[in-house]
Every structure is written in structure tokens, then in C-alpha cells.
Amino acid sequence: MHRILVVEDETDIAELLRHVFTREGFIVGVAKDGLMALEAARQEKPDLVVLDWMLPELSGIDVLKELRGRAETRTVPIILLTARREEIDRVLGLELGADDYVTKPFSSRELVLRIRGLLKRNEVRPEAEVNPVRAGPIEIQPADHRALVDGKALVLTVTEFRLLEDLVRARGRIRTRETLLSEVWGYDSEVLSRTVDTHVRRLRTKLGPAADWLVTVRGVGYRIQDPAVQA
């Protein structure tokens, strides 16, 4: 049974989410401010965090940065809840390591679907899918949830790892934004493609010397390809 930590200072919303998630079969913990959230994450070891942007004591963004900086929570999926509708704000959350965001007011059903999509990625996979795969200097080790460039391990979030794995497995083939949203996030094409673009930008930065292997196909999507043979 998966454990979810809800970080929300508005009591009505926090209790609504507790009720909805409990009804869906999750174990739910609630923290009302940023400091409580960090302590709860340390003690409860959640499988996923639903994190409000605007919090007392410590903002959601500061909590996000702290969780991504801790070894024990670095790969825990995090969904930001935000009333901020400006695209630059949403992108900032993704740039800092959030796996997804949901704007208020939100649909409880949609939020549950997004949570299940993120959690599904950690389920046991067929043996064929846990064998290492490579593309040039990039190596994916699914069984250990490790990605390496020239033998050096990368520090990736769960979403970044799955995105890179998907692209490496499809080496040379174009993966459209819609396909990536479906396969990596478990969403349909109605979700903004900026989510994909932002994660690709973060991933490209982390790839370092192998960054030019991650190719943008303008207006279509992305692929992994040897830069020496690119047109």
C-alpha cells in the first residue's frame, strides 16, 4: 500500500485530499507547513508527496529544493499544487525538480490519476525491461535505477530517469511529446507539452558531455542519436 504525504496549510483542502486518497486505498499523512513537511518526509518515508506552493514557515519551493537535496527523498515523486497560473511559475517548479504540477482549483479525480501514473513507474517490470541498455556513453541500469555517462552515475529524479530510459530504448527513433507524456507520465495529450520540454532541458544539463546525444526534432519531439551521424 502506497504512502502519500499531503503538504497543505488550508485545512479544508488538506482534509478533502486525505479523504479522497484514503478512499482510493492510500496511506495518507498531512503536514500543515514547510518545516512539518520536511520532518514528516524524514519519518514517514512517503512514496509520493503532494506539495502546496504557498506554505507558512517554509515555502513549497524551498521544501521541494530541500527534498531534492536529500539522498532519501531525491527520487520521491513530487506533485506541486499551485494557484499560480503564470507559465513561468509552473516551469520554475519543474526546473527545480517537481515531477508534475496541478493548478487550483483542481479535479480530485485528475489528481488521483496523475498520482497513480507516477507510482506505476515503480512497479515490478518484466525481466527483459530490467536489462541494461546503452546509447554511446549513456548506460541505463533499470534494475538498480541507475543512469551513467562514461561510467559516472547521474543524479536524476524518477521522472528524469524514466524519460532518459524511454529515449535510450528508442535510440534513433523520434519520440513525440504526446508519446512521452503517455509512456513516461502516464497522461494523455491534453497535458501541456511544456512539462516534457522542461524535463528534457533539465536532463540535457545533467547529461553533461553526452548532452548532444539528446536531440530536439523541432515541432515533433526528441530522440537519442549519435551526434556524429546527425544530419
Side-chain angles (χ1 to χ4, degrees):
M1 188 175 292
H2 291 108
R3 183 181 298 273
I4 296 178
L5 174 61
V6 174
V7 186
E8 172 60 67
D9 65 315
E10 294 187 40
T11 301
D12 290 346
I13 296 178
E15 289 307 310
L16 169 65
L17 293 178
R18 187 203 297 271
H19 172 74
V20 169
F21 296 160
T22 301
R23 185 185 62 200
E24 293 290 330
F26 298 117
I27 299 172
V28 185
V30 175
K32 298 296 181 67
D33 63 51
L35 295 178
M36 290 176 61
L38 295 178
E39 180 61 20
R42 185 184 67 81
Q43 293 186 0
E44 299 177 14
K45 297 178 173 56
D47 298 300
L48 182 142
V49 178
V50 177
L51 175 64
D52 188 29
W53 182 302
M54 302 296 292
L55 293 170
E57 304 298 336
L58 199 65
S59 74
I61 288 296
D62 288 332
V63 172
L64 172 62
K65 290 191 287 188
E66 179 69 21
L67 292 177
R68 285 294 177 244
R70 295 180 177 182
E72 65 272 21
T73 53
R74 184 171 292 142
T75 62
V76 173
I78 298 175
I79 298 179
L80 273 179
L81 287 182
T82 175
R84 296 169 177 260
R85 295 185 175 276
E86 293 297 325
E87 184 177 23
I88 190 172
D89 292 324
R90 299 196 298 266
V91 171
L92 173 62
L94 297 174
E95 290 280 9
L96 292 174
D99 293 276
D100 197 7
Y101 61 84
V102 174
T103 56
K104 296 179 179 180
F106 56 85
S107 160
S108 297
R109 181 174 179 275
E110 179 187 0
L111 183 53
V112 169
L113 288 174
R114 295 195 184 198
I115 287 171
R116 292 198 182 281
L118 288 170
L119 292 174
K120 186 177 180 180
R121 296 184 238 163
N122 292 331
E123 293 178 355
V124 176
R125 303 159 73 182
E127 184 175 347
E129 292 187 6
V130 298
N131 294 328
V133 289
R134 296 177 179 81
I138 306 170
E139 179 179 351
I140 301 295
Q141 299 177 351
D144 300 322
H145 202 272
R146 279 163 49 92
L148 304 94
V149 169
D150 293 327
K152 182 178 180 181
L154 305 179
V155 178
L156 303 178
T157 66
V158 172
T159 300
E160 290 164 350
F161 177 83
R162 289 301 300 270
L163 177 59
L164 181 59
E165 181 186 7
D166 184 283
L167 289 164
V168 169
R169 287 187 182 279
R171 176 176 174 171
R173 304 195 308 273
I174 298 173
R175 302 292 277 171
T176 67
R177 291 174 176 83
E178 291 75 18
T179 297
L180 290 170
L181 281 169
S182 175
E183 297 297 324
V184 177
W185 278 264
Y187 306 154
D188 59 34
S189 59
E190 292 180 4
V191 180
L192 291 176
S193 63
R194 178 53 66 92
T195 299
V196 177
D197 298 337
T198 302
H199 277 86
V200 166
R201 185 162 58 249
R202 280 174 53 86
L203 184 55
R204 190 174 275 131
T205 298
K206 292 186 176 184
L207 284 172
D212 53 358
W213 277 75
L214 207 175
V215 180
T216 300
V217 182
R218 196 172 301 279
V220 182
Y222 302 94
R223 67 180 166 200
I224 291 289
Q225 183 178 342
D226 187 342
V229 300
Q230 293 175 26

